Amino acid sequence: MSLIARLENELTAAMKERDAVRRDALRLILSALRSAEKELQRPLHDEEELQVLQRERKRRHEAIEAYQAAGRDEQASTEQQELAVLEEFMPEPLGEDELERIVDDAIAENGATSLRDLGRVMADVMPQVAGRADGSYVSQLVREKLA
């Protein structure tokens, strides 16, 4: 079952249960996916669906930070609830040990010795961790290992 079909089924269930927060979050996710499909003028591949979900997750994190900084806790809470629904459809995040192993393997494979090799290592690591680890955290980890 495709992600969009799964989301539509979840949306129907949320509507029947009268769960407004979940319903609205699912509608936002579906809207983003359909918009991406319309932009590409074809159905999305799994990787493209994942990219849309990652982009939406990043937007939620940024909105939460902005609302909290502005003292708007109610809106931040709404964004956190939407983020929780969104993360149900994201792949299982990588554990720290597994992520370190992937980074170490990439460093060894590329023969990286300094921060000048950061780009090559990141190019090797990111496809392996796509959607399962935050890119900024991965970058920080690679920098620490190469420093």
Side-chain angles (χ1 to χ4, degrees):
M1 177 183 289
S2 75
L3 178 61
I4 290 179
R6 231 175 91 205
L7 285 165
E8 287 172 342
N9 289 340
E10 291 286 328
L11 176 60
T12 303
M15 290 169 75
K16 287 178 181 176
E17 295 170 9
R18 299 187 188 279
D19 185 348
V21 173
R22 185 172 179 77
R23 178 198 65 208
D24 293 345
L26 290 169
R27 282 182 176 163
L28 287 170
I29 298 165
L30 273 169
S31 174
L33 288 167
R34 287 187 179 131
S35 175
E37 276 186 338
K38 193 176 282 189
E39 190 176 303
L40 294 173
Q41 298 180 348
R42 62 174 170 75
L44 297 175
H45 299 294
D46 291 342
E47 302 86 37
E48 293 167 331
E49 289 175 341
L50 181 60
Q51 288 175 344
V52 171
L53 292 179
Q54 287 175 309
R55 187 172 54 237
E56 290 300 309
R57 179 173 57 185
K58 184 175 182 182
R59 285 183 183 156
R60 297 295 172 278
H61 281 292
E62 290 171 353
I64 290 167
E65 289 175 15
Y67 284 136
Q68 287 175 340
R72 300 177 71 184
D73 295 330
E74 188 174 315
Q75 286 89 351
S77 173
T78 302
E79 291 290 333
Q80 286 174 329
Q81 291 170 341
E82 289 176 5
L83 180 62
V85 172
L86 176 63
E87 288 186 342
E88 290 177 26
F89 300 96
M90 298 292 293
E92 193 68 33
L94 284 173
E96 200 165 319
D97 294 337
E98 190 174 357
L99 182 59
E100 282 193 37
R101 184 187 49 77
I102 290 171
V103 168
D104 290 340
D105 290 347
I107 289 172
E109 192 174 299
N110 286 296
T113 56
S114 70
L115 283 176
R116 286 184 294 160
D117 303 317
L118 177 72
R120 287 188 309 190
V121 174
M122 288 297 291
D124 192 25
V125 170
M126 288 312 289
Q128 296 178 51
V129 301
R132 301 184 313 156
D134 180 44
S136 61
Y137 177 72
V138 173
S139 176
Q140 178 187 352
L141 184 62
V142 171
R143 287 176 192 276
E144 288 172 5
K145 297 226 180 239
L146 291 177

